Amino acid sequence: METVLTDLQKLYQEGSEEALRDFFTFLKFNSISSEESYSAEVHSCATWLASYIEAMGFSVEIWPTSGHPVIFASYCGAGEDKPTLLIYNHYDVQPVDPLDLWQTPPFSPTIRSDQVYARGAQDNKGQCFYVLQALKLLLRRDGKLPINIKLCIEGEEECGSKGLAEILAKHKRALQADTLAIVDVGLQKADQPAVTIGLRGLVTMDVSVKGTKGDLHSGMHGGLAYNPIRALTELLSGLYHPDGRVAVNGFYDAVLMPSEKEKESLALEFDEESYLTTYGALPTGGEKSLKPLERAWLRPTLEINGIAGGYSGTGFKTVIPAEASAKISCRLVPHQDPMQIGDLVKQHLIKNCPPGIKVEVNIHKGCGTAVRTNIDSRSVKAFAQSYSEVFGKSCTFILEGASIPIATELAKTSESELVLVGLGLGTDNIHAPNEHFGLDRLEKGALIIARAIELLNT
Amino acid sequence: METVLTDLQKLYQEGSEEALRDFFTFLKFNSISSEESYSAEVHSCATWLASYIEAMGFSVEIWPTSGHPVIFASYCGAGEDKPTLLIYNHYDVQPVDPLDLWQTPPFSPTIRSDQVYARGAQDNKGQCFYVLQALKLLLRRDGKLPINIKLCIEGEEECGSKGLAEILAKHKRALQADTLAIVDVGLQKADQPAVTIGLRGLVTMDVSVKGTKGDLHSGMHGGLAYNPIRALTELLSGLYHPDGRVAVNGFYDAVLMPSEKEKESLALEFDEESYLTTYGALPTGGEKSLKPLERAWLRPTLEINGIAGGYSGTGFKTVIPAEASAKISCRLVPHQDPMQIGDLVKQHLIKNCPPGIKVEVNIHKGCGTAVRTNIDSRSVKAFAQSYSEVFGKSCTFILEGASIPIATELAKTSESELVLVGLGLGTDNIHAPNEHFGLDRLEKGALIIARAIELLNT
C-alpha cells in the first residue's frame, strides 16, 4: 500500500509545476455564474476546461442548458464489466464583492504560505482540479484507468444548478454509473480524514412587509403609522423561541433524527474555543439544549440572510418607510419537505402580521431536500479507506450543514450510490474575500481520488 | 377688517404674476444642504435670496457658519418704541431621491391643478416666500412697516442646523426680538385655521450589532453562529411592549402630560378613515390605549428609521452576515431630555444583547428638546386672530409631532415669545417625491403674516 502511495506521490510531484501553471489558468477565468455580465467568461472557462480534459484522453461533450453549459466527459476504456464512477464538480464561482477586502485580486492567483489565493481556489475549481490530476496520475502511470470514469462539471452551482437540473432526464443514459462522487465538501479539521455522509436541504424565500402607500415623516407620523420595520423585526424575531428553537408551528414535525448507532459513527465533538479563535464569536446560535454539531448537522435551522428598510446611508433620515424586506432560508434535514416548510414559515408570518401591515412571502422554487448517503455502501467504504490511507489515520464520518440541491437529483438520474467528499476547510473563505486552498490539500486530493478509483475496482 | 383684507388681497393679486416668477427662480436652486456636492448651489441660492430681500429695503447680512451661510435681514424703520418680530425660515431643501418617482423634475417648478410642484415648494421655500410677499404687500401699501422686522433664514435646517446653532451667541444682540415666528409648520386640515403650540423633541442614534469577524455561510454555520440580523430583530422588537408602549425602562418617567384644560384647547379629533384614504393604511402605530393625536402630539415615540444587514439584492445569498445595523429616533415631549432618553435606549439594548453578539449604540449630538409655546401670550394671540380673519373661521390650536431643534435655542437667544405657524399639509409630500404647495396657500400665507404684523402693532 505504502509503495503505491509513494509512487503516486512521486509522480504527482514530478508534474506539480506544470499542474500549478494549468491550475492558475483555470483560476484566472472570471467564471461568476450569477452575474449576467460575466457570461462570456463563464463560457470561455468551459471551453478551456473541455479542451484540457479532452487532451487527457477523455471523450468530451459540452451540453448546452438554459444557462451556462455543462461539461460531460467520459472514459469507458475499462470495459463494460468494470464499475463506473461519475464525478461531479463545478467550474463556476461566487461573486467577489467586497473587492477591497481582497489582499490580492481574486482572479490573479497568488501563493502565500503554501496557500493558493483566488476566487474558486477551493470552491470548486481547486477540488475539480485535483480530480483531474488524479486521473492524469493514473493515466501517466498505467496508460489507462482501472474503471470507467464520467465527469459532470456544471457552470451554475453558485446560482442554483437550474440548467443542469433541466437536462438531467435527457442525458439519463449518459449519466448512468455505479458510484456518484460529489467532490464539493470538506473536513472539520485539516488533519482528520472524514467522509461526509449527509447534507442539509434548503428552502429560501423573500419576505416583504408593507404599511402606507409612501414613505412618511417619522415626526408627523410617529405614533400614527405602524412602522413596517418594527413589524418586520417583530415578525422575524417571533420566528424563534427564546431557547433558540424555531417557533414556526410544525417546523420540526417531519424531522428524522439519526439513531444512537448512527450518531455514534459521527464525529460530533466540537471545540468551542477554537471556533471563537477562528470566527471571533462563540457558537451561541441554534437550539440551546443541543450540542453545536447536532444543531449544525442534525437539526433544521432558520436564518435571516438579509434585511433592508428605510434609510441606511451616512447621516440620518427621519423616515417611516412604506415597506421593509428580508430574505429567509431554512436548512432542512431528512424528511422535511422544502416547499412544505416554506409554507409553514409563510403561514406563521401571515398569522402574526399586525393590523395596518401587509406581509408577502415569496417561496423560491428549486430548493432541495436533505441528503444522506449509505455509510455501509461499497462506494462510501472505498472512499473512507482511501482517506485513511492518504492521511495515515482512521477515517471518521461527518455531516455537512450546507446544501447541494443537485445531489439528490443527480444520484437518482445516474442510479448510483452517492458519496460526498472533498478537502475544504471552514477557514478557506469560500464565498468571501481571500478564498484560498492549500497546496498540500491539492496533492492529498489527487491521491485520495486516485486511490479511491483503484479501490472501487475490486 | 374685511376692507383691510380685501385691499391686501387685491394688492397680492396685482403682484402675483411677478411674485410667481420670483418664486420659481428661488425654487430652481438645487439648495440641498445635506449633500456636499450641492454646496455651490446652496451658496448661489443664499446670494440670490439676500439680494432679493435687500431690494425690498431691508439691511441684509450674510453670516458665515461652519456650514452654509445664514441670511440675516432687518428693518428697524418702525422705531425703538415699536415691537420687533423675528421670523425664521430656511432656504435649504431635502435630497430628491428617488428621482424616478417625480412626475416633473424637482428643480423645474411646474403648476398642476393650482399646485406648485418642486422640491422646497412647501418646505421651506414656499413658506419663506409668502413671508417675503407679506412684507412687500405692506411696504407697497404703506411705504413702511408698522413694527420692526428681522429675518433669520438658515441653510442647514435639513441637516441639523449646526452652523446656526454655533453662531447664535455671537449674534445675540442682532437677534433680540419680542416675538419669534417660526414659519415652518402646518395645518391638520386645509380649511381649518390653526396655530401650532408645540413640537416634539428628537434624539437619534445608530445601532450596530456584531457577531463573527466575517460573513459566514448559512449552511455551514446555521445552528452554530448567532445571526446578527436575528439579534437585531430581537433587540429592536424588544423595544416595544405588545400594546405599543415603548419598553425601555424609564422612557416615560419625565413625560409631562398637558392638563385637561390644555387638552381641551387642542383639536384632537382625528379622522381614521381619511388617514386610510390618504396614506393607504390605518393609524395602528403607537400606544394602543390612546387616541391617534394623543399618540402623535402628546406622547414620545420610538421609531426604527432604517435597518440593513446581509444580502438584500436580487436573487439570494445564503450568508450569515458579520454585522447588521439600524437607525433609531425618538420623538420627545416636555420634559424629556434627549441625551438621557438616548442613553436609556442604549442601556436597554446593551442589557438585552444575546451572548455571542456585541451591540454598539452611537447617540447623535445636537438633538432637541420638545417645545411648547404660551397659548396665552400676546404673540400667539395675534397670530391666532390673523388666521381667524384670513380663513373667516375661528382658529384652533394644534401640536406638531415633528421637531425643529433650533426653535428652543433661537427663542432663548432672541429672548422672545415663540410662535409656530405655517400652512403645510400632510399631503404636501415634503421630504418625498412630488412635493407641492397650493397657490391659494401662498396667498393665504402672505395675508396671515401681513395681518399678524399689523396685529402685533397694538
Side-chain angles (χ1 to χ4, degrees):
Chain A
M1 195 79 57
E2 238 166 67
T3 332
V4 175
L5 266 184
T6 316
D7 288 354
L8 282 174
Q9 207 162 6
K10 207 177 137 211
L11 261 179
Y12 181 88
Q13 280 156 8
E14 281 168 16
S16 71
E17 203 170 310
E18 187 194 334
L20 201 62
R21 223 166 30 236
D22 294 339
F23 185 37
F24 275 29
T25 304
F26 189 20
L27 290 173
K28 281 177 187 164
F29 289 100
N30 291 222
S31 55
I32 303 171
S33 56
S34 62
E35 296 180 16
E36 190 88 17
S37 55
Y38 288 95
S39 195
E41 279 280 324
V42 177
H43 281 252
S44 301
C45 186
T47 309
W48 176 85
L49 187 59
S51 309
Y52 187 81
I53 298 169
E54 201 156 39
M56 284 164 50
F58 275 61
S59 151
V60 179
E61 296 171 27
I62 295 189
W63 292 345
T65 76
S66 63
H68 301 306
V70 172
I71 295 168
F72 179 76
S74 57
Y75 172 96
C76 297
E80 280 188 13
D81 57 328
K82 292 291 183 181
T84 299
L85 166 66
L86 171 63
I87 304 178
Y88 166 91
N89 288 102
H90 62 92
Y91 64 88
D92 65 318
V93 297
Q94 278 275 317
V96 294
D97 295 324
L99 194 57
D100 58 321
L101 294 186
W102 286 81
Q103 280 184 40
T104 45
F107 296 106
S108 302
T110 311
I111 297 178
R112 290 195 296 279
S113 311
D114 295 327
Q115 302 284 320
V116 179
Y117 282 82
R119 169 57 83 231
Q122 192 247 80
D123 180 21
N124 182 252
K125 285 177 174 173
Q127 307 226 58
C128 176
F129 197 74
Y130 70 62
V131 166
L132 302 182
Q133 298 319 299
L135 300 170
K136 282 185 116 173
L137 280 185
L138 294 174
L139 286 164
R140 215 180 318 149
R141 191 190 64 186
D142 306 329
K144 62 187 173 67
L145 299 174
I147 62 172
N148 302 304
I149 302 285
K150 295 174 177 178
L151 305 175
C152 175
I153 311 175
E154 71 154 316
E156 294 186 304
E157 198 274 345
E158 301 296 1
C159 60
S161 302
K162 187 166 161 266
L164 176 54
E166 286 168 357
I167 62 164
L168 279 181
K170 181 176 165 192
H171 296 289
K172 187 172 169 63
R173 183 190 285 266
L175 291 164
Q176 290 305 293
D178 300 287
T179 302
L180 165 62
I182 293 198
V183 188
D184 194 19
V185 293
L187 308 174
Q188 278 296 106
K189 290 177 203 152
D191 60 353
Q192 177 56 57
V195 164
T196 300
I197 58 167
L199 299 166
R200 287 197 287 192
L202 178 67
V203 59
T204 63
M205 65 200 87
D206 289 306
V207 179
S208 164
V209 158
K210 287 175 187 167
T212 53
K213 285 181 218 165
D215 290 359
L216 302 174
H217 188 289
S218 73
M220 293 187 276
H221 294 269
L224 294 178
Y226 205 109
N227 188 327
I229 305 181
R230 176 187 160 199
L232 186 60
T233 64
E234 290 172 335
L235 285 171
L236 296 178
S237 63
L239 291 169
Y240 302 92
H241 286 300
D243 64 4
R245 273 180 311 129
V246 175
V248 173
N249 203 16
F251 189 77
Y252 297 104
D253 282 1
V255 168
L256 180 76
M257 287 293 281
S259 66
E260 281 309 307
K261 197 194 144 214
E262 285 170 310
K263 253 188 169 175
E264 272 164 32
S265 71
L266 290 171
L268 279 172
E269 67 278 7
F270 190 81
D271 184 345
E272 303 211 10
E273 282 305 315
S274 132
Y275 192 85
L276 173 64
T277 309
T278 307
Y279 299 111
L282 281 166
T284 53
E287 299 171 79
K288 282 186 187 168
S289 63
L290 302 175
K291 291 181 196 156
L293 288 183
E294 287 179 319
R295 281 144 37 194
W297 288 353
L298 307 178
R299 299 290 286 177
T301 52
L302 184 152
E303 294 295 341
I304 310 160
N305 305 103
I307 193 164
Y311 180 75
S312 305
T314 50
F316 209 94
K317 204 168 166 185
T318 51
V319 66
I320 295 179
E323 62 182 300
S325 64
K327 289 176 189 284
I328 291 178
S329 64
C330 299
R331 298 287 167 169
L332 310 172
V333 300
H335 291 153
Q336 291 181 298
D337 176 68
M339 295 313 279
Q340 194 197 348
I341 292 294
D343 200 54
L344 290 177
V345 174
K346 177 177 177 169
Q347 295 312 323
H348 183 97
L349 293 172
I350 289 170
K351 200 182 78 190
N352 290 286
C353 187
I357 294 286
K358 282 189 213 97
V359 63
E360 282 168 24
V361 181
N362 175 31
I363 304 168
H364 303 144
K365 294 212 168 58
C367 297
T369 52
V371 170
R372 286 289 182 276
T373 68
N374 180 359
I375 198 168
D376 296 320
S377 70
R378 231 179 112 265
S379 302
V380 169
K381 280 182 176 163
F383 273 90
Q385 186 180 331
S386 167
Y387 269 85
S388 297
E389 288 180 16
V390 171
F391 278 82
K393 208 169 173 181
S394 177
C395 182
T396 58
F397 295 104
I398 59 175
L399 289 167
E400 165 61 59
S403 315
I404 305 175
I406 200 71
T408 312
E409 290 307 305
L410 194 54
K412 208 183 287 176
T413 303
S414 60
E415 297 177 342
S416 54
E417 284 177 352
L418 178 61
V419 192
L420 303 160
V421 287
L423 289 168
L425 287 173
T427 49
D428 289 340
N429 288 352
I430 68 167
H431 295 209
N434 305 310
E435 177 174 354
H436 58 276
F437 196 51
L439 293 173
D440 57 335
R441 284 182 285 153
L442 270 180
E443 179 177 335
K444 274 205 179 83
L447 300 178
I448 288 167
I449 299 297
R451 275 300 292 153
I453 287 172
E454 292 185 326
L455 292 165
L456 283 168
N457 180 30
T458 48
Chain B
M1 197 79 59
E2 238 166 67
T3 333
V4 175
L5 266 185
T6 317
D7 288 354
L8 281 174
Q9 207 161 7
K10 207 177 138 212
L11 262 179
Y12 181 88
Q13 279 156 10
E14 281 168 16
S16 71
E17 204 169 309
E18 187 194 334
L20 201 61
R21 223 167 27 236
D22 293 339
F23 185 37
F24 276 29
T25 304
F26 189 21
L27 289 172
K28 280 176 187 164
F29 290 100
N30 291 222
S31 54
I32 302 171
S33 56
S34 62
E35 295 180 16
E36 188 88 18
S37 54
Y38 288 97
S39 194
E41 280 279 324
V42 177
H43 280 252
S44 302
C45 186
T47 309
W48 176 86
L49 188 58
S51 309
Y52 187 81
I53 297 168
E54 201 155 39
M56 285 163 50
F58 274 62
S59 151
V60 178
E61 296 171 27
I62 295 189
W63 292 344
T65 74
S66 63
H68 301 307
V70 172
I71 295 169
F72 179 76
S74 57
Y75 172 96
C76 297
E80 280 188 15
D81 57 328
K82 294 290 184 183
T84 300
L85 166 65
L86 171 63
I87 303 179
Y88 166 91
N89 288 103
H90 62 91
Y91 64 87
D92 65 318
V93 297
Q94 277 277 317
V96 295
D97 297 324
L99 194 57
D100 57 321
L101 294 186
W102 286 81
Q103 280 183 42
T104 45
F107 296 106
S108 303
T110 312
I111 296 177
R112 291 196 295 278
S113 311
D114 294 326
Q115 301 285 321
V116 179
Y117 283 82
R119 169 57 83 230
Q122 192 248 80
D123 180 21
N124 180 254
K125 285 177 174 171
Q127 306 226 58
C128 176
F129 197 74
Y130 69 63
V131 166
L132 303 182
Q133 299 319 298
L135 300 171
K136 282 185 116 174
L137 280 186
L138 294 174
L139 285 165
R140 216 182 315 151
R141 192 189 64 186
D142 307 328
K144 62 187 172 68
L145 300 175
I147 60 171
N148 301 306
I149 303 285
K150 293 175 178 177
L151 305 174
C152 175
I153 312 174
E154 71 154 317
E156 294 186 305
E157 199 274 343
E158 301 295 1
C159 61
S161 301
K162 188 167 159 265
L164 176 54
E166 285 169 355
I167 62 164
L168 279 181
K170 182 177 164 190
H171 297 289
K172 187 173 168 62
R173 182 190 286 265
L175 292 164
Q176 290 306 293
D178 299 289
T179 301
L180 165 63
I182 292 198
V183 188
D184 193 19
V185 294
L187 308 173
Q188 278 295 107
K189 290 178 203 150
D191 60 354
Q192 177 56 57
V195 164
T196 300
I197 58 165
L199 300 166
R200 287 198 287 191
L202 178 67
V203 59
T204 62
M205 64 201 89
D206 289 305
V207 179
S208 165
V209 158
K210 288 176 186 167
T212 52
K213 284 182 220 167
D215 290 359
L216 302 174
H217 188 289
S218 73
M220 293 187 276
H221 294 269
L224 294 179
Y226 204 109
N227 187 328
I229 305 181
R230 175 187 159 200
L232 186 60
T233 65
E234 290 172 335
L235 285 172
L236 296 178
S237 64
L239 291 169
Y240 302 91
H241 286 302
D243 64 3
R245 274 181 310 129
V246 175
V248 173
N249 203 18
F251 189 76
Y252 296 104
D253 282 0
V255 168
L256 180 77
M257 287 294 280
S259 66
E260 279 310 307
K261 196 193 146 217
E262 285 171 310
K263 253 186 168 177
E264 271 165 31
S265 70
L266 290 171
L268 279 171
E269 67 278 8
F270 190 81
D271 184 345
E272 303 210 9
E273 282 306 316
S274 134
Y275 192 86
L276 174 63
T277 310
T278 308
Y279 300 111
L282 282 166
T284 53
E287 298 170 79
K288 282 185 185 168
S289 63
L290 302 175
K291 291 182 196 155
L293 287 184
E294 287 179 317
R295 281 143 38 194
W297 288 354
L298 308 178
R299 299 289 287 176
T301 52
L302 183 152
E303 293 295 341
I304 309 160
N305 304 103
I307 192 164
Y311 181 74
S312 304
T314 50
F316 209 94
K317 204 168 165 185
T318 51
V319 66
I320 295 180
E323 62 182 301
S325 64
K327 288 176 190 286
I328 291 178
S329 65
C330 299
R331 298 287 166 171
L332 310 173
V333 300
H335 289 156
Q336 291 181 298
D337 176 69
M339 295 313 279
Q340 193 196 349
I341 292 295
D343 199 54
L344 290 177
V345 174
K346 177 177 176 169
Q347 295 313 323
H348 184 97
L349 293 171
I350 289 171
K351 200 182 80 189
N352 290 287
C353 187
I357 295 287
K358 281 188 214 96
V359 63
E360 282 169 24
V361 181
N362 175 30
I363 305 167
H364 303 145
K365 294 212 169 57
C367 297
T369 52
V371 171
R372 285 289 181 276
T373 69
N374 180 359
I375 198 167
D376 295 320
S377 69
R378 230 179 113 265
S379 304
V380 169
K381 281 183 176 162
F383 274 90
Q385 187 182 328
S386 168
Y387 269 85
S388 297
E389 288 179 17
V390 173
F391 278 83
K393 205 171 173 179
S394 176
C395 181
T396 57
F397 295 104
I398 59 173
L399 289 168
E400 165 60 59
S403 316
I404 305 176
I406 200 72
T408 312
E409 290 307 305
L410 195 52
K412 208 183 288 176
T413 303
S414 61
E415 295 177 342
S416 54
E417 283 178 352
L418 179 62
V419 192
L420 302 161
V421 286
L423 288 168
L425 288 172
T427 49
D428 289 339
N429 288 352
I430 68 166
H431 295 210
N434 305 310
E435 176 174 353
H436 59 278
F437 196 50
L439 292 173
D440 57 336
R441 284 183 285 154
L442 270 180
E443 179 177 336
K444 275 207 179 82
L447 300 178
I448 287 167
I449 300 294
R451 274 302 290 153
I453 286 172
E454 292 185 326
L455 291 164
L456 284 168
N457 180 30
T458 47

